[in-house]
């Protein structure tokens, strides 16, 4: 029998030859063992699924969920405070998920996202103005990729944007893979901050998600803790992943000059395709996975995954599956990338996808118009990834213009 120490262990090593590449181990497993037992960074056993067809099939499978019948013994993805272990009880999961999506769907409706478009463009213009006013070199991550999604999600939620540095500290702390106690404390602090805003919204409601939830609290039977947990989760999910895609999208365009020239020549016409290709290609972490637990035995690709096991769906590997995308490691903004699974699929499709696309399209239709000579200020090999956090991404993105 294979011992746990003999199993492939996440996180995998980065591709030393391609700053935009996925971990080579993902590629080899997708070819040789698309459903395989691995060890998580927390030291627990799990199943890693790396091929597009199997991942899409499992995203539609009702026998997979966030909950676990024995959470205290369940495998964990990593030693962070969020998104790494089971959540809730199996018998309550579907009703809870249905209720959550029903409550939050209006906030992310096409109508409400469209109403944000002008404000998002104004934020981008202001942030780019601020970047241009400084010395002709700067950190794109600090100047735009971090503040934009935080300010947008704060506006949507009704949370003071002036607290963004506090959110950065709490969010980064909660995703730490190296300090478990810090991760728990940071997540608790973020949850506590959200609780403190509930009374504010009761007395002075606005046109925002937080106020919407407080307004239906009694009717829906929502406890203060439940509202705070939803808001903390939205703030975290609504900016962390978008930050990484803004950084990595900019990096992809700066390291692929021919594709950048195409976008620069026709930003409005090509930006939608460019964003979908960025979403397909972005590889923020060497353990970028969606964790779920089996609520029954599941047979997939000739392998039976027992009830209660952790299953990790590797989107970065599936989005470069050669069975679906020709020349999958080639960045091509004119290809049809719409089959990518960056936002999940089916019942597990991200509610915030419209908002993320709005931010990405607004930036990349503007960036090279405002900064036609934008370039990396360092060799790509010198860029540092935040591999000590769950969400990964770049620590900084030095540029000149």
């Amino acid at each position: 029998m294979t011992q746990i120490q003999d199993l492939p262990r996440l996180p995998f090593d980065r591709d030393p030859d391609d700053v935009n590449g996925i971990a080579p181990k993902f590629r080899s497993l997708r070819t040789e063992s698309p459903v395989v037992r691995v060890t998580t960074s927390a030291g627990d056993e799990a199943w890693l699924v790396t091929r597009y067809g199997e991942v899409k099939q499992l995203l539609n499978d009702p026998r997979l969920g966030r909950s676990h019948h024995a959470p205290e013994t369940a495998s964990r993805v990593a030693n962070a405070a969020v998104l790494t272990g089971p959540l809730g009880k199996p018998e309550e999961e579907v009703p809870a998920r249905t209720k959550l999506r029903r409550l939050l769907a209006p906030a992310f409706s096409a109508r409400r996202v469209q109403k944000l478009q002008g404000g998002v463009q104004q934020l981008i213009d202001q942030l780019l103005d601020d970047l241009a006013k400084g010395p002709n070199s700067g950190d794109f991550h600090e100047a735009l990729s971090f503040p934009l999604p935080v300010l947008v999600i704060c506006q949507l939620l009704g949370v003071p944007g002036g607290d963004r540095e506090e959110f950065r500290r709490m969010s980064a702390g909660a995703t730490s893979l190296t300090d478990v106690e810090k991760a728990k404390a940071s997540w608790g602090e973020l949850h506590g901050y959200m609780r403190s805003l509930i009374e504010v919204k009761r007395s002075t409601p606005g046109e925002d998600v937080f106020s919407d939830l407080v307004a239906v609290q009694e009717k829906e039977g929502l406890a203060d803790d439940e509202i705070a947990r939803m808001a903390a989760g939205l703030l975290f999910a609504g900016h962390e992943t978008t930050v990484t895609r803004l950084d990595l999208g900019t990096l992809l365009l700066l390291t692929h000059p021919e594709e950048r020239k195409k976008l620069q020549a026709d930003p409005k016409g090509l930006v939608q395709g460019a964003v979908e290709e960025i979403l397909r290609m972005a590889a923020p972490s060497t353990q970028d996975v969606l964790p779920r637990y089996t609520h029954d035995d599941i047979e997939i690709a000739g392998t039976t995954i027992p009830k209660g096991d952790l299953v990790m769906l590797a989107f970065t590997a599936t989005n470069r599956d050669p069975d679906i995308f020709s020349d999958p490691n080639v960045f091509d903004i004119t290809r049809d990338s719409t089959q990518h699974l960056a936002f999940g699929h089916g019942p597990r499709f991200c509610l915030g996808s419209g908002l993320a696309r709005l931010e990405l399209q607004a930036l990349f239709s503007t960036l090279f118009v405002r900064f036609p000579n934008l370039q990396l200020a360092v060799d790509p090999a010198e860029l540092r990834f935040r591999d000590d956090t769950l969400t990964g991404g770049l620590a900084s993105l030095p540029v000149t213009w």
Side-chain angles (χ1 to χ4, degrees), residues 296-363:
D296 203 346
D297 290 358
I298 295 178
E299 186 170 338
I300 186 90
T303 298
T304 298
I305 302 178
K307 176 181 177 180
D309 280 10
L310 172 61
V311 179
M312 301 187 298
L313 309 179
F315 289 156
T316 50
T318 61
N319 285 337
R320 301 201 192 196
D321 189 332
D323 291 341
I324 307 299
F325 304 100
S326 61
D327 297 321
N329 296 312
V330 172
F331 180 60
D332 178 3
I333 68 169
T334 63
R335 80 158 83 221
D336 180 2
S337 303
T338 53
Q339 291 188 78
H340 70 73
L341 299 177
F343 291 123
H345 175 72
R348 297 181 176 89
F349 188 77
C350 175
L351 268 176
S353 61
L355 182 61
R357 283 186 166 114
L358 169 64
E359 293 176 55
L360 290 161
Q361 289 177 17
L363 174 67

Side-chain angles (χ1 to χ4, degrees), residues 49-226:
V49 187
T50 50
R51 197 160 60 189
Y52 185 97
E54 285 76 10
V55 167
K56 192 170 182 179
Q57 180 182 336
L58 288 169
L59 284 168
N60 278 315
D61 198 316
R63 295 171 295 176
L64 275 185
R66 283 293 315 276
S67 58
H68 195 280
H69 64 281
E72 64 282 354
T73 62
S75 291
R76 295 183 63 82
V77 178
N79 288 321
V82 293
L83 305 175
T84 62
L87 181 67
K89 300 175 181 178
E91 64 273 15
E92 297 174 357
E93 179 168 354
V94 172
R97 183 174 68 232
T98 302
K99 178 181 178 180
L100 179 68
R101 293 183 78 91
R102 175 172 56 79
L103 288 172
L104 297 180
F108 294 99
S109 66
R111 181 186 64 82
R112 191 168 244 183
V113 169
Q114 192 65 31
K115 284 180 68 175
L116 289 171
Q117 186 169 11
V120 169
Q121 188 62 56
Q122 285 182 353
L123 282 172
I124 289 172
D125 291 341
Q126 183 60 59
L127 292 169
L128 291 176
D129 283 345
D130 293 344
L131 180 62
K133 289 174 186 174
N136 189 350
S137 66
D139 183 355
F140 193 81
H141 175 81
E142 291 292 327
L144 199 135
S145 298
F146 170 72
L148 176 63
V150 172
L151 290 170
V152 171
I153 198 65
C154 284
Q155 182 179 338
L156 186 70
L157 283 171
V159 173
D163 290 341
R164 69 189 191 197
E165 287 303 320
E166 282 296 288
F167 295 142
R168 171 199 291 243
R169 181 182 59 77
M170 290 184 278
S171 182
T175 62
S176 173
L177 299 178
T178 57
D179 191 335
V180 180
E181 293 308 313
K182 177 184 177 182
K184 291 178 180 177
S186 297
W187 183 250
E189 195 176 354
L190 181 58
H191 184 270
Y193 174 86
M194 292 301 178
R195 271 198 63 114
S196 71
L197 283 180
I198 292 175
E199 289 303 322
V200 175
K201 295 300 177 181
R202 284 198 182 108
S203 59
T204 54
E207 190 176 341
D208 55 66
V209 177
F210 224 134
S211 298
D212 292 349
L213 292 174
V214 171
V216 300
Q217 181 174 13
E218 187 174 345
K219 176 185 173 184
E220 295 289 349
L222 296 172
D224 283 3
D225 271 349
E226 195 173 358

